[in-house]
Amino acid sequence: MEDNKQAKKRRMVFMPALSFAMILVIVLSSCETPSKPDFQTEQRYTVPIVKSLSYAFLGGTEAIIDTTSADFENLFTIDPSGLVTLGVTNEFDIGSFDESIPDVSIATFSIDAEISNLEPTISGSAATDFESFTGLDPALFPIGATLPAGAVPAFDLELDMEDLVQVVTREGNLQVTIENQLGFTFDELVFRFRTETGFVGDTQVIEDFAHGEERTLKISFTSGEVISIPLFAVFSTSWSQQQMAAPPEELIVSEVQNDEFRVQSASARFPSQTITKEIETGISEEDFILENNDDFAEMESIQLSFESLRNTIDLDFESLVISFPTILTRGADGSFSPQDSVVINLEQDQLPRRASDPSNIEGISFDIFLEDVRISAPGNTFIANLEAKTENTLDSPPGDRIRTITTEDNFTGTAEFEVGNITRITGIVLPRFVDLNDAPDDQLDLADPEVRIETNIDDLKEFSERVVNLNIDNPELVLHYDTNIDASNLVYAAILGINAAGEQHFLSGLPDTPFHVAADDTISGLLFNGLPIANADLIKIPIDGRDGEDISQQVFFTTENSTVADFLNSLPTEIFFIGKALINPESERVNVQRPITLDSELSLNIPISLQSDPNNPTAIADTLDLDLSDLPRDGDDLEIKRGSLFIQYSNELPLDLDFEFSFLDAFGDLVTVVPADGQNPVSILPAPVSGGGFSVGPENNVLEVNLTEAQLRELWRTEQMQLRAVLLTSDNETVSLRATDQVSLNMRADFVLNLKVGGN
């Protein structure tokens, strides 16, 4: 900055050729010289201090605002009427909206599957001959012989039940096939099962059961009946007198087998059993709701961790498939299709072993990693389908074919979802606050440089340093943003502007406007130096969501809806931001996806229409080189007796200007200041103005300021002069400035020099 100031200094030349020695020669040559001269003489001289110095409002190095400086490049615009507008556009980061897509939390689901339809292999048969069954000698009853009427009240036929020890029934039937090869017809045959502890199952009756026929019976069981070995087929029969239709042979139970026969437990040989289970789990409804089949959540990855899979069934698993019909992975064509639903087919070493295997002490654990995943979960619930097949014990060694299984035996474990970054959600995102700054514990402190977002407006820095106490009329601050956010959001923000002098002003919304944060608005965690920022100092900024396409929007902060005048009057060179966003306050159905883009910038549009406060006026300053070292000093024969400054001006600015001139030595220390204490101000009258506040012509005049003896004695030390002008509007009215409006100054010093020769 010091370099800029030096570049703007103007070199002022005092008495370029005439030295005081030459004056002395001229004076002496015009007088008769006595032998002992003793006399004084006065001489008037004019010294140009400032010659044709003009300050246009905008322009080059001699303007109030030097628009040729890199500091002010593109800082001002001029409309067709000549009105000057200060305009600055800066990137303005209002934080990250990535958290507007909520995290997906999927509940752990528990696996607890059993063989719901336990079906052991039940296979049996038996036969008895004519003599054993009827008690008659078969030799006496060839074909055609007359068989007298008879009956068998109860006949127990032990069944050969292969690989069956015992079962406890649940429901269903055993199917029994009986063949009559005894050579005659039964009028009635009653059939029942019996164990050593009593009858089991219901009773079935066959009527007119002729020789050579095969009849099939279904024996129904109630829950809890115990079928054990030995198992007997019990027959009760009767027949009428008849002729033998065939040679007497056997009554045969040719087959006993399952007919939808379900058991609670069994010690038997088991065919491959099927285990099926539909497991429901859900997505947390705390942050969003997936209403229907068209709603979904997409994520970068899911790690599915199966923990402690244990098997209390005394059967090994041959296969285990867990499928998720509504969890899809992205296909080769880039789409999510039903054929790409997640199906997990466990490998051999992941399959649960039978209950007695040591692996069931700790259980089996493993992870499945899925990339680029979409979940549909209407009502925030979805299902997993489990289907398993067990071994067939018939394939086991003979001594290992009999297993004891109950319906309480099961396969257990848990599955946990670890969800990666959510990339897209279609559904209802529920309203919630998210931090737009990174901070621990949701406490955002504007005073913490690690938390706040800073915007430096370098273009305003020198302007702010040079023009102070500006009172701007009708400024405008515009927030521009481009976004792909689908949801509409409200940003609750603390925006603090700090100018070059360190003055601080909040940008806040005015009451009864959309930007106002009311006293009863619930917002917390926005702090300044550890203390909550008052709602009145906050501002509420609507961020509209797109409607299918990325959008560009503008939010205008004006004097009608915000404290933008106070905020911009101080010409902030730094802006600090902290904020929280209320996501989707109307609970609308949205489609949001990462990466969320929100590119924003602030535009300051400040029409340079001034209204200065006499107690806090606007000021401009400049520094000039001014070498007055040739002026007389104490001890010189030549001394300055009187002196005045004459300031001729032409003022096109519609402003009063009160000037102050500070004379400085080589070290920058003050020599003297004009006007001195007690003197009238050096006031330049404003140009006359039109109804619109623009000047209509210059105001011309000449001012004289008398210098005191004390000032005259010290002027020779001067090497610089600082010029400071205070700008005041007439009667405190608002005026408008053109870029070409200027004030022109001519400044000279008139001195009366006294030369004393001789004397005592």
Side-chain angles (χ1 to χ4, degrees), residues 374-681:
R374 172 185 286 186
I375 295 181
S376 295
N380 282 43
T381 62
F382 64 95
I383 62 170
N385 292 320
L386 181 148
E387 183 172 347
K389 297 284 187 183
T390 69
E391 64 175 320
N392 185 342
T393 63
L394 182 61
D395 299 330
S396 300
D400 194 31
R401 292 176 182 174
I402 302 296
R403 308 287 177 85
T404 299
I405 310 294
T406 76
T407 53
E408 295 179 355
D409 296 339
N410 58 4
F411 165 59
T412 61
T414 61
E416 296 183 353
F417 292 85
E418 183 177 335
V419 179
N421 285 335
I422 304 303
T423 56
R424 184 178 179 186
I425 284 180
T426 295
I428 295 177
V429 175
L430 298 177
R432 75 190 197 289
F433 280 101
V434 300
D435 292 348
L436 300 179
N437 307 70
D438 292 328
D441 304 324
D442 296 327
Q443 301 298 304
L444 310 184
D445 198 319
L446 197 64
D448 188 347
E450 298 297 320
V451 172
R452 71 187 179 220
I453 298 172
E454 299 182 11
T455 298
N456 295 314
I457 310 178
D458 294 330
D459 286 344
L460 280 183
K461 188 171 181 59
E462 183 143 341
F463 184 70
S464 178
E465 290 175 340
R466 184 163 182 173
V467 179
V468 297
N469 300 328
L470 187 66
N471 190 13
I472 302 167
D473 187 50
N474 292 322
E476 184 178 75
L477 188 65
V478 184
L479 173 66
H480 309 259
Y481 65 87
D482 299 319
T483 186
N484 66 351
I485 296 176
D486 195 57
S488 294
N489 307 294
L490 287 176
V491 172
Y492 288 79
I495 300 177
L496 182 68
I498 304 175
N499 69 4
E503 297 171 327
Q504 300 177 351
H505 292 278
F506 281 103
L507 177 66
S508 56
L510 296 181
D512 300 321
T513 72
F515 304 124
H516 180 58
V517 180
D520 58 355
D521 277 3
T522 304
I523 180 70
S524 61
L526 299 180
L527 312 176
F528 193 22
N529 287 319
L531 299 176
I533 300 172
N535 281 15
D537 288 331
L538 302 177
I539 192 162
K540 184 164 52 179
I541 307 172
I543 301 294
D544 290 336
R546 65 177 183 171
D547 186 13
E549 305 216 351
D550 294 358
I551 62 169
S552 296
Q553 292 285 355
Q554 293 179 316
V555 180
F556 293 87
F557 303 108
T558 68
T559 54
E560 295 181 354
N561 59 34
S562 70
T563 61
V564 68
D566 290 338
F567 184 78
L568 292 180
N569 274 340
S570 64
L571 298 177
T573 60
E574 291 181 299
I575 296 177
F576 296 164
F577 171 90
I578 56 172
K580 293 174 178 276
L582 177 58
I583 303 301
N584 199 23
E586 301 301 324
S587 299
E588 297 174 333
R589 187 175 184 271
V590 296
N591 181 354
V592 290
Q593 63 185 60
R594 283 194 179 102
I596 291 179
T597 60
L598 183 66
D599 299 323
S600 54
E601 59 185 21
L602 275 180
S603 290
L604 285 66
N605 298 314
I606 306 175
I608 304 301
S609 299
L610 302 180
Q611 184 182 41
S612 289
D613 181 351
N615 299 316
N616 195 20
T618 304
I620 59 173
D622 201 359
T623 301
L624 313 172
D625 281 342
L626 179 62
D627 185 357
L628 299 181
S629 60
D630 284 340
L631 285 174
R633 63 194 74 183
D634 288 345
D636 288 350
D637 290 333
L638 190 64
E639 63 179 6
I640 305 176
K641 188 173 183 180
R642 295 186 302 277
S644 298
L645 294 180
F646 290 89
I647 303 162
Q648 182 180 1
Y649 68 85
S650 178
N651 186 16
E652 294 178 350
L653 297 170
L655 303 168
D656 292 305
L657 289 90
D658 283 355
F659 277 92
E660 181 181 88
F661 305 97
S662 298
F663 295 82
L664 309 175
D665 65 15
F667 302 102
D669 294 329
L670 182 66
V671 174
T672 188
V673 63
V674 175
D677 288 343
Q679 290 183 322
N680 293 326

Side-chain angles (χ1 to χ4, degrees), residues 275-277 279 306 317-324 342-347 351-352 384-389 411:
I275 300 175
T276 60
K277 186 77 172 183
I279 305 168
F306 290 94
F317 281 49
E318 289 189 345
S319 67
L320 178 58
V321 177
I322 301 175
S323 60
F324 299 88
V342 172
V343 178
I344 300 171
N345 198 336
L346 300 192
E347 302 294 335
L351 290 171
N385 292 320
L386 181 148
E387 183 172 347
K389 297 284 187 183
F411 165 59

Side-chain angles (χ1 to χ4, degrees), residues 167-206:
V167 298
V168 178
T169 63
R170 179 178 174 185
E171 61 182 359
N173 312 303
L174 284 179
Q175 183 172 285
V176 181
T177 301
I178 303 173
E179 295 181 23
N180 180 5
Q181 299 295 337
L182 291 176
F184 64 92
T185 298
F186 292 106
D187 292 338
E188 182 179 77
L189 183 148
V190 179
F191 179 89
R192 294 197 72 180
F193 282 122
R194 183 181 67 81
T195 69
E196 288 185 336
T197 58
F199 290 102
V200 291
D202 65 354
T203 301
Q204 294 291 322
V205 177
I206 303 174

Side-chain angles (χ1 to χ4, degrees), residues 288-308:
F288 69 93
I289 295 174
L290 304 179
E291 285 189 297
N292 51 51
N293 291 327
D294 294 329
D295 291 345
F296 57 82
E298 291 178 9
M299 53 217 68
E300 289 179 351
S301 63
I302 290 179
Q303 180 170 291
L304 185 55
S305 297
F306 290 94
E307 299 289 340
S308 302

